[in-house]
Each structure stands twice: as C-alpha cells, then as structure tokens.
Amino acid sequence: MDERLYHIPQTRLSTAWPGRLVVRASDPVALVEALASETNPERIVAVRLPLSADSEPLNAGAPGLPVELVLDDPASEYPLLYQHANLLDNHPVRAVVPVRPGFGKAVKTAIALDFAVRLEIGQPEPAAIDELLAVLDFYLHQPTVAQSIEFFHSALLGFYHQEPLPLWVVMEEEPQALRYIADGGAESRYGRLAALDLDAGVAPDADLEVWIEQVLATDPECRNCEFLNSCGGYFKWPRQDYDCAGIKRVFGGLQNAAAELRRDLKSLADATPDH
Ligand code: SF4
C-alpha cells in the first residue's frame, strides 16, 4: 500500500487516492453518509472539523474514527470546545491548537475535556515562548493531565529513552509522505513546507534522514544544534532566518524533565528492597 498521507477536502473523498487520508470536513451530515458507504474505511485515518462546525452528526457515525477539532483563534474560540464533548463517546478526539497569544486556555480546556492536543507550533515569536513554557510546565506537573500534548509528549519520550524522533515524524509531517490537496484540487506539500516544490531535488524514494541532511536542516545553526536529532530543522521553515533561541529553551525544558524523570525512577528502583 502507498504510505502517502493526503490531506483532502471532503468533496474529494470519492477520488481513488492511493494512500491514507485525512479528510477536512465541510458538511458533517454528508460526510457521515459518505463514510457509511465507504468501501475502504481503513484508508481514512482522521477527520478534521473546524471548531465552529456542528459535530453532532458524527457522535454516532463512523465509530472509532479519530476526530481532530481545528481551532483558528484559540483565545476566543476555546469555549466552543465544550460543545464537542459528546464526540468522546465514539471517537478519539484531538484539539489542533495554533500557538497564538492566549492558546494556553484552549490547551487547558481541551485537556479538562479529556481531548488530546496537537500544537500547531509554527515559528513562535519570542512573546509566545513564555506561554509555551508555561503550557509545558502545566503538561509536566499537573497531575490531572491524562492526554498527550504533541509535540511535548513524543519529544519527552525521545529524550527519556535517548531515541529522539525528528519533529517531522512527531507531527506527522514527513515531507516524503505528506501531501495537501486544496479545495480546488491542486496538490502541494503540507503546512510549513507548502512553498517547497513537489520536486525538491530529492530522490522520490529518499527517506527522512536524506531529507534532513539535504533539504530540511542545511542551515548552519541546525548543523551545530544540540537538538538536531529531536527537531530535524523543523523550525527553520518556512522562514530560514527564524531565531531558534526561544524554541531551544523549550527543547531544553523537555530534556531536563526527561533527565529528572530518569533520576526519580532510578532513586525509586534503588530504594526498592530486592533491587
Ligand atoms: S532547533 Fe532550530 S537550529 Fe536546532 S535543529 Fe531545530 S531548526 Fe535547527
């Protein structure tokens, strides 16, 4: 099976795509009807809904299908998360929260509702870094947090196990695998790589390591970055002149938390009789 992941509009669901699909819903009622007659439901890995959409038709439709609720302005929209709480009866739910001023309220509300969170991190300006660090502190130290906040969760595990994964993997944005299909049908790369040619001068079958080496992390700052293995040059896109000083503080916080966790678990093991 083609391992490509296509972000498609709902209107293109009937097209014979070769890989897996994330469907951007525009009409939940029609989407549930289309999903009910879908002959290959395994190809659909998630449905994305704008937060303002009525998710009620999905409450009992397509059970088990992951639903992503996409926020645009988290500081003003976060109360709308409550109206989607019933989705959890039949679906894993994840809130997609852009890192914009006030986004922390949306993260805390989503977590309180038992939704997972994916941060659309972009290239955060210095003013956003403090709020990002505050949300990281909430994630690490608030005992009621039961769901993951990505990218924190996977980066923390990578540091803990000393097996870092580049953010391109953590955020499911591997350039060799991901395509964005616009409402009008045009195909491009996704998100921060949208402006990069489909033919980016890399062999079609090249794996992510080649991409990182040849395209994604060619900036001298990346070459010398202690977090290269956990990042892969992710924050140098789309603006190559982005100053990573702030985001390195976030990676540093995750690295320190993983080291602290390892120390705590070792102390616990050492103090346990029979060890
Ligand atoms: S944190 Fe910045 S400098 Fe370091 S690898 Fe990522 S993009 Fe490159």
Side-chain angles (χ1 to χ4, degrees), residues 217 221-223 225-228 231-236 242 244 247-248 251:
E221 190 181 356
C222 296
R223 296 294 192 204
C225 179
E226 64 175 307
F227 302 116
L228 176 59
C231 175
Y234 190 82
F235 290 100
K236 289 298 182 188
Y242 178 72
C244 287
I247 204 66
K248 287 178 186 176
F251 276 124

Side-chain angles (χ1 to χ4, degrees), residues 35-56:
L35 293 174
S37 56
E38 171 66 38
T39 54
N40 184 12
E42 296 81 25
R43 70 180 181 144
I44 302 168
V45 296
V47 164
R48 285 197 157 194
L49 278 179
L51 198 62
S52 56
D54 176 12
S55 62
E56 198 276 334

Side-chain angles (χ1 to χ4, degrees), residues 208-236:
L208 183 60
E209 286 73 24
V210 174
W211 270 91
I212 289 173
E213 173 72 21
Q214 296 186 2
V215 179
L216 302 175
T218 56
D219 189 280
E221 190 181 356
C222 296
R223 296 294 192 204
N224 299 307
C225 179
E226 64 175 307
F227 302 116
L228 176 59
N229 291 337
S230 299
C231 175
Y234 190 82
F235 290 100
K236 289 298 182 188

Side-chain angles (χ1 to χ4, degrees), residues 63-237:
L65 181 65
V67 176
E68 295 193 326
L69 299 168
V70 182
L71 286 80
D72 185 38
D73 180 10
S76 65
E77 285 182 327
Y78 74 93
L80 295 177
L81 284 163
Y82 289 98
Q83 70 191 28
H84 301 287
N86 288 343
L87 279 172
L88 277 178
D89 292 344
N90 284 301
H91 304 273
V93 181
R94 184 159 76 163
V96 180
V97 182
V99 174
R100 296 197 186 132
F103 80 97
K105 283 183 191 163
V107 170
K108 289 178 182 174
T109 303
I111 291 293
L113 287 166
D114 218 18
F115 296 163
V117 171
R118 169 196 164 97
L119 295 177
E120 292 282 273
I121 184 77
Q123 290 180 302
E125 296 306 321
I129 294 295
D130 284 343
E131 189 168 5
L132 199 55
L133 287 165
V135 171
L136 174 59
D137 186 68
F138 164 79
Y139 179 62
L140 293 173
H141 299 120
Q142 175 55 250
T144 56
V145 176
Q147 292 287 347
S148 66
I149 299 176
E150 294 292 11
F151 64 99
F152 294 159
H153 180 74
S154 295
L156 180 69
L157 285 180
F159 284 123
Y160 178 78
H161 293 294
Q162 298 176 321
E163 291 177 354
L165 283 175
L167 281 193
W168 303 102
V169 176
V170 169
M171 301 303 279
E172 299 155 3
E173 292 180 40
E174 291 183 70
Q176 74 279 26
L178 189 54
R179 292 289 183 274
Y180 183 85
I181 308 300
D183 293 354
E187 180 172 339
S188 67
R189 296 198 177 278
Y190 177 86
R192 64 219 295 130
L193 297 182
L196 190 65
D197 287 345
L198 282 174
D199 172 15
V202 180
D205 58 348
D207 59 23
L208 183 60
E209 286 73 24
V210 174
W211 270 91
I212 289 173
E213 173 72 21
Q214 296 186 2
V215 179
L216 302 175
T218 56
D219 189 280
E221 190 181 356
C222 296
R223 296 294 192 204
N224 299 307
C225 179
E226 64 175 307
F227 302 116
L228 176 59
N229 291 337
S230 299
C231 175
Y234 190 82
F235 290 100
K236 289 298 182 188
W237 296 88

